Amino acid sequence: MHILTTFVLTQDVAETITETVENNVTFISWDTFVQYFQDSLPTVLDFCMKVIIAVIVLLIGRKVIQAAMKFVKRSLEKTKLEPEIQNHLSRVINVIFHCILILIVLGKFGITASSVIAIVGSVGLSVGLALQGTLSNFAGGVLILMLRPFKVGDYIKEDTSGNEGQVQDIQLFYTKLVTLDNKVIVVPNANLTSSSLTNMTQQDKRRVDIKVGISYHADIRQAKDVISQVVEAEELLLEGEPVKIYVDELAESSVVIGVMVWVKTEDYWPVKWRLTENIKYALDDNQIEIPFPQVTVSYADESNEKQRL
């Protein structure tokens, strides 16, 4: 009797489960699948057509941009802008053209330019706060290209940090300097626009200043004549520019004589080195002493010191 009751209960539970599954679960049949495919086919075909059109627009747009960039580069070459400015302008215009092309492609999928601009604006705010230094360097690069305080080939010195060298390349974020011993210094553009710098080669001519000290026992007139002869023998001095030889200072151990001459900017260092060397030779040949700091140390006689005590 107990086994029969259990069997009846089990059969009732099985029937209940079967009825519940039949009422709540819909089995996917082949007809259901075909019907779903037929309902989704227009949407899939529409999406595929949009993708094909977008790819075609993208390929044609790239060809159009390439042709337009050739025209832009030829137009920039006819201007009087520096080559660096031309390169940067062409890059910016190229980026703008590609951004427009991307907006057109996204428009094929129903994405409007206003929504893209809104997203870019919100993202740009957070990115801008995170990249303040980078944006400062970018702004500095734009200012350098617009105001042109220096150009490629100039020799500049950053007054704050003391970095100096010949300008090798001007990028939007940094500037490369090559030192006299062929080292490359990468300077952020924000440093070059937020502090003073010295452009040593922007002008066509430079003044060479040399100072040499002679002994107080030497004849100043003779020393000036000797130095004048050395200066007159220099062939790279600019004609018509003043030459000054003067007493600059009465120092502690010497009379300092100054020399000022003008040369072309590219001749500055050769002339300075040559004049300095030849002045030394000429003063030695004429027995004009060039003093140097000396320290005289005297020792007291130990026996005399004891007698005084």
Side-chain angles (χ1 to χ4, degrees):
M1 185 66 180
H2 178 70
I3 296 174
L4 180 61
T5 304
T6 303
F7 175 75
V8 172
L9 291 174
T10 304
Q11 187 176 7
D12 292 340
V13 171
E15 290 177 355
T16 303
I17 293 173
T18 303
E19 184 179 356
T20 303
V21 171
E22 289 178 352
N23 294 333
N24 294 280
V25 178
T26 301
F27 292 96
I28 300 175
S29 63
W30 175 253
D31 294 336
T32 304
F33 178 77
V34 172
Q35 183 64 36
Y36 176 78
F37 181 77
Q38 290 177 350
D39 294 340
S40 303
L41 183 60
T43 304
V44 174
L45 291 178
D46 182 63
F47 180 77
C48 292
M49 288 299 298
K50 289 180 179 180
V51 171
I52 294 173
I53 294 173
V55 171
I56 294 174
V57 171
L58 184 63
L59 295 176
I60 296 176
R62 286 183 60 84
K63 295 293 183 181
V64 173
I65 289 175
Q66 290 177 358
M69 288 307 303
K70 291 180 180 179
F71 175 77
V72 170
K73 289 180 179 179
R74 286 196 299 267
S75 301
L76 290 175
E77 289 174 355
K78 295 179 182 179
T79 63
K80 297 181 180 180
L81 297 175
E82 294 292 331
E84 297 80 17
I85 300 178
Q86 296 180 19
N87 293 334
H88 289 302
L89 283 177
S90 63
R91 292 173 186 171
V92 172
I93 294 173
N94 189 28
V95 171
I96 293 174
F97 283 165
H98 278 87
C99 289
I100 295 174
L101 178 60
I102 292 173
L103 290 176
I104 294 174
V105 172
L106 292 177
K108 299 301 179 182
F109 296 95
I111 302 175
T112 61
S114 58
S115 60
V116 174
I117 293 174
I119 295 173
V120 171
S122 60
V123 173
L125 179 60
S126 58
V127 172
L129 294 175
L131 300 176
Q132 291 182 1
T134 303
L135 294 177
S136 298
N137 292 330
F138 176 80
V142 173
L143 289 175
I144 290 173
L145 293 174
M146 291 178 58
L147 302 178
R148 298 167 61 187
F150 56 84
K151 61 182 184 298
V152 173
D154 286 349
Y155 192 95
I156 65 173
K157 179 180 180 181
E158 184 191 4
D159 295 338
T160 303
S161 302
N163 295 317
E164 62 178 288
Q166 188 178 35
V167 180
Q168 183 187 52
D169 190 18
I170 304 174
Q171 298 292 335
L172 285 177
F173 296 96
Y174 57 84
T175 297
K176 289 184 179 180
L177 306 180
V178 179
T179 62
L180 294 176
D181 55 351
N182 207 31
K183 295 178 182 177
V184 177
I185 302 176
V186 179
V187 183
N189 288 332
N191 294 0
L192 297 176
T193 54
S194 61
S195 61
S196 63
L197 62 87
T198 303
N199 191 333
M200 302 180 183
T201 56
Q202 190 175 45
Q203 302 297 326
D204 295 332
K205 62 181 181 179
R206 286 187 66 184
R207 192 181 70 189
V208 178
D209 293 311
I210 300 175
K211 294 181 180 180
V212 57
I214 63 173
S215 172
Y216 271 96
H217 300 292
D219 188 342
I220 296 178
R221 298 183 184 87
Q222 180 188 8
K224 292 175 66 175
D225 291 339
V226 170
I227 295 174
S228 178
Q229 294 174 10
V230 174
V231 172
E232 291 174 358
E234 177 57 52
E235 298 178 352
L236 295 180
L237 300 185
L238 291 177
E239 297 182 0
E241 296 294 339
V243 176
K244 296 183 179 180
I245 302 173
Y246 56 95
V247 176
D248 182 72
E249 182 185 0
L250 299 178
E252 294 183 358
S253 59
S254 64
V255 178
V256 180
I257 297 180
V259 179
M260 292 193 314
V261 296
W262 290 87
V263 298
K264 293 181 179 179
T265 300
E266 59 268 21
D267 297 331
Y268 177 84
W269 289 110
V271 171
K272 182 178 179 63
W273 294 332
R274 187 163 48 246
L275 281 180
T276 302
E277 182 177 355
N278 291 338
I279 288 174
K280 174 64 169 65
Y281 292 149
L283 293 178
D284 289 343
D285 293 341
N286 288 272
Q287 289 79 45
I288 300 176
E289 180 184 359
I290 299 179
F292 53 89
Q294 300 180 17
V295 177
T296 302
V297 180
S298 59
Y299 295 92
D301 189 348
E302 192 172 325
S303 60
N304 293 338
E305 190 69 23
K306 289 181 179 179
Q307 288 178 3
R308 289 197 204 93
L309 296 175

